[in-house]
Amino acid sequence: MSNYFKYAVGEILLVVIGILIALQINNWNEARKRHGQEIILAIQLLDDARADSVFFESRLDYKLRREVVYDNFISLSKGQNVDSISKLQLTENPFFLRLAFQSNLINNNPTAYDFISPNNIKTCLREYNKRHDYVVNAIELSNRMHETYGIPLAIKYHDLLSDLSETSTYIDYLFIIEDSETMAKFNLFKFLDINYSTQCEELLQVNHTLITLLESYINDSQ
């Protein structure tokens, strides 16, 4: 009986050890699978973050050009730098614009925060979402104000604008600076552009940080 008992205990221990080894192998395989899926997600996030960088850099560049337009009109209305500005060609519509916005990273990866494990990337994703919301709010506010005030200005000056050529200069728009109400609206448009530019710059800072973190994580995992 003693030998049988020892044999039974040995068999049980072997079974238990076998089960533990099998569980460990299964856990290891699952962890490797999750890690592989996480790397795929990180690569997707990186591609989308780079696309966002290009998109928002272009939006920022456009808004900065708009700021220059309003700055020039405001300077002209105050009699500042008249000679250097008045002969410049005006290629932007000073009365109306409507900016579109999108984020590949946010649109394509709505659950990324829940499936990416590095805390620094999770923190950056959370900040990215917040900054993107600020940019969206700035764009929507700008679009509403241009619809409210820009379209009526375009209608008001329709006849004068229709006489202008495609190579018109600031001096051709002197009728604008003679209207104090129009200049007040241009000051508003400039403020809206500055607000958007500020929010966009802050988003891009987070974007560049996220790109660096994702590149590092992917490289370290290879």
Side-chain angles (χ1 to χ4, degrees), residues 9-33:
V9 171
E11 287 291 318
I12 292 171
L13 288 174
L14 287 174
V15 171
V16 170
I17 291 172
I19 292 173
L20 291 175
I21 291 174
L23 287 173
Q24 184 64 32
I25 292 173
N26 183 67
N27 290 339
W28 182 78
N29 285 333
E30 287 296 322
R32 186 176 64 175
K33 181 179 178 181

Side-chain angles (χ1 to χ4, degrees), residues 18-198:
I19 292 173
L20 291 175
I21 291 174
L23 287 173
Q24 184 64 32
I25 292 173
N26 183 67
N27 290 339
W28 182 78
N29 285 333
E30 287 296 322
R32 186 176 64 175
K33 181 179 178 181
R34 285 195 300 271
H35 182 68
Q37 293 171 339
E38 196 171 323
I39 294 302
I40 293 174
L41 174 60
I43 292 172
Q44 176 66 43
L45 288 171
L46 179 58
D47 289 342
D48 289 337
R50 286 170 174 167
D52 278 6
S53 178
V54 172
F55 177 79
F56 285 107
E57 287 283 2
S58 70
R59 299 295 83 190
L60 176 60
D61 180 68
Y62 178 66
K63 273 295 191 179
L64 291 174
R65 293 202 310 271
R66 298 285 300 192
E67 285 181 39
V68 172
V69 170
Y70 297 127
D71 271 337
N72 285 341
F73 275 115
I74 293 169
S75 294
L76 285 174
S77 70
K78 296 178 180 179
Q80 300 171 352
N81 304 317
V82 174
D83 292 335
S84 60
I85 295 175
S86 60
K87 297 178 182 178
L88 294 177
Q89 186 175 344
L90 181 63
T91 58
E92 303 285 346
N93 182 337
F95 302 109
F96 182 73
L97 85 159
R98 182 174 182 83
L99 278 182
F101 55 89
Q102 65 180 29
S103 169
N104 287 0
L105 187 140
I106 292 175
N107 292 342
N108 297 340
N109 311 277
T111 60
Y113 181 87
D114 297 324
F115 292 98
I116 201 81
S117 59
N119 288 328
N120 56 355
I121 295 179
K122 292 173 78 74
T123 299
C124 201
L125 285 173
R126 188 163 57 243
E127 182 69 14
Y128 198 94
N129 276 273
K130 182 178 74 173
R131 292 297 170 187
H132 180 259
D133 286 343
Y134 292 162
V135 169
V136 169
N137 291 336
I139 292 176
E140 290 178 341
L141 176 60
S142 177
N143 287 346
R144 286 198 305 272
M145 292 299 98
H146 275 278
E147 288 173 359
T148 302
Y149 299 114
I151 293 177
L153 286 177
I155 295 173
K156 176 180 178 179
Y157 295 118
H158 175 267
D159 291 340
L160 293 171
L161 293 173
S162 61
D163 293 334
L164 297 179
S165 67
E166 294 181 357
T167 58
S168 59
T169 59
Y170 277 89
I171 200 171
D172 297 318
Y173 288 82
L174 291 182
F175 57 87
I176 292 176
I177 66 175
E178 295 171 354
D179 187 341
S180 59
E181 183 178 344
T182 297
M183 294 312 303
K185 292 171 182 176
F186 274 19
N187 273 283
L188 171 62
F189 294 159
K190 177 187 173 182
F191 169 79
L192 294 171
D193 284 349
I194 292 173
N195 178 47
Y196 170 82
S197 298
T198 300

